[in-house]
Amino acid sequence: MILPTIKQLRYFVALEKYQHFGNAAKACFVSQSAFSVAIKELESHLGAQLVDRTNKSVTITRTGREIANHARLCLRDLEYLAEVAHSNQKPLTGRLNLGVIPTIAPFILPDLLPNLRSSFPDLKLYLREDTTQSSHDLLIEGELDLILIALPYKLSNVEIMPLFKDHFSLACHKNSKIFDPNNYSLNSLPKESVLLLEDGHCLRDHALSACKIRNQDTVSRFAASSLLTLVSMVDSDIGITYLTEMAKNSSLLQHTDIETYPLDEKSYREIGLAWRKGSAREDEFKLLGETIKTMQASKAQ
């Protein structure tokens, strides 16, 4: 029996992901001809057709989908083997693939990165900014080592390390004509006056939950794709919004006419790290978490 090579498994997993020979070959940094040969060799070794090929499309067969799932598990086990070897080295050295969501990255990374370079000079940190769901998917697939996210969020097959609370404040134009900060109720705000991020950003759900917005009529049908857009709309007095403490204390509100008003102590999201269950680098990840906690505590003083 001829066993598949690691290269063949990686190529086939990429093909199953991209559903296109050219795009998959490009993602693997190899020519399309060499990529196609490797896939054919894999089919020959396994004695099964994994791909239906036409001039215009690629379809993974039922057997191919099963093989792709097992291939991902095999590759993850090999990565785990490397992690075990790496765990005997100095902590936080070598490559570390970190996923960060967009409502955290611009507020934590500018302080965190210089801190890490100073404390762990041999760490090579590769960053990917994405939504929580996409980051979780990449974590489970082995493309990320750990993710920095906002909680609560339903995640499977991961260990979670809570780091700190990020409280919400209400934000509006200082001379708002649609909102009186001295006389309001969260659930008696004007219709469609609350501006939030669009679906897919967990900050939207956290704001709705943590700020106890029960009257959905107050939420605008228009949603922002980024915090910068959201702040711009509030600065134009189109509506009000809810900003987290890390955003409020950043440069995001500089040169705006926005005022913020604190909410009760229960209105917060929690920032945390998550990694795959059973990771051999768990102690390293906890060390990174403690570094972030210490950094945030010093900023709060």
Side-chain angles (χ1 to χ4, degrees):
M1 178 186 296
I2 302 177
L3 296 176
T5 65
I6 296 175
K7 178 179 72 175
Q8 290 168 349
L9 294 180
R10 288 193 183 278
Y11 286 4
F12 185 63
V13 166
L15 182 60
E16 195 264 347
K17 176 180 179 180
Y18 290 98
Q19 303 283 310
H20 188 280
F21 272 89
N23 292 341
K26 185 177 180 180
C28 294
F29 304 100
V30 66
S31 68
Q32 186 171 337
S33 59
F35 185 90
S36 298
V37 168
I39 298 299
K40 288 180 179 178
E41 289 177 346
L42 177 62
E43 289 181 311
S44 176
H45 294 341
L46 296 176
Q49 184 177 354
L50 307 178
V51 185
D52 286 329
R53 303 166 176 82
T54 68
N55 291 332
K56 296 183 178 180
S57 64
V58 171
T59 302
I60 306 299
T61 65
R62 180 177 178 179
T63 300
R65 290 195 298 271
E66 292 181 11
I67 294 299
N69 289 333
H70 286 294
R72 273 189 288 270
L73 293 175
C74 290
L75 292 171
R76 197 180 307 161
D77 285 342
L78 287 169
E79 289 169 357
Y80 177 74
L81 182 150
E83 287 182 3
V84 171
H86 184 276
S87 66
N88 292 318
Q89 300 176 15
K90 290 170 54 179
L92 292 176
T93 59
R95 180 173 182 134
L96 181 64
N97 300 317
L98 174 66
V100 191
I101 62 174
T103 56
I104 293 180
F107 310 120
I108 281 190
L109 295 183
D111 291 325
L112 178 62
L113 296 183
N115 192 311
L116 290 178
R117 281 194 290 269
S118 174
S119 302
F120 308 102
D122 295 325
L123 176 66
K124 294 180 173 61
L125 191 63
Y126 290 78
L127 300 168
R128 182 184 179 109
E129 186 175 307
D130 212 330
T131 62
T132 306
Q133 187 57 59
S134 295
S135 297
H136 177 247
D137 292 343
L138 292 171
L139 177 69
I140 297 303
E141 290 171 6
E143 294 190 34
L144 293 175
D145 297 309
L146 75 165
I147 54 179
L148 183 59
I149 56 173
L151 306 166
Y153 197 93
K154 188 176 181 179
L155 300 169
S156 60
N157 299 315
V158 300
E159 297 288 347
I160 295 175
M161 179 182 182
L163 301 177
F164 61 91
K165 294 177 181 178
D166 189 23
H167 288 86
F168 281 97
S169 293
L170 186 148
C172 66
H173 191 279
K174 66 181 182 180
N175 297 318
S176 179
K177 297 179 180 179
I178 61 174
F179 173 75
D180 180 2
N182 298 312
N183 182 26
Y184 79 96
S185 168
L186 288 177
N187 289 294
S188 62
L189 295 169
K191 187 176 181 180
E192 295 198 34
S193 62
V194 178
L195 300 167
L196 299 172
L197 291 179
E198 62 190 6
D199 288 335
H201 291 276
C202 62
L203 184 61
R204 177 186 180 90
D205 295 328
H206 289 152
L208 288 169
S209 175
C211 301
K212 303 175 181 63
I213 304 174
R214 299 183 180 88
N215 185 358
Q216 293 296 311
D217 289 340
T218 64
V219 179
S220 175
R221 290 170 294 172
F222 295 95
S225 60
S226 69
L227 281 173
L228 183 61
T229 302
L230 189 64
V231 165
S232 295
M233 290 196 289
V234 174
D235 195 35
S236 298
D237 201 23
I238 295 173
I240 68 169
T241 193
Y242 297 94
L243 295 177
T244 64
E245 189 172 11
M246 65 170 63
K248 182 188 73 172
N249 294 336
S250 73
S251 61
L252 187 65
L253 299 186
Q254 287 184 4
H255 311 299
T256 72
D257 290 318
I258 293 176
E259 296 280 359
T260 61
Y261 302 87
L263 301 173
D264 65 61
E265 283 297 310
K266 295 181 180 179
S267 299
Y268 65 86
R269 63 176 184 169
E270 192 159 35
I271 308 304
L273 281 173
W275 56 85
R276 290 184 299 278
K277 284 185 176 180
S279 174
R281 301 181 72 179
E282 180 173 329
D283 289 343
E284 283 188 279
F285 301 156
K286 288 181 177 179
L287 177 58
L288 177 61
E290 291 298 332
T291 301
I292 296 174
K293 288 170 67 174
T294 300
M295 181 189 74
Q296 287 300 119
S298 64
K299 287 174 63 177
Q301 292 177 353

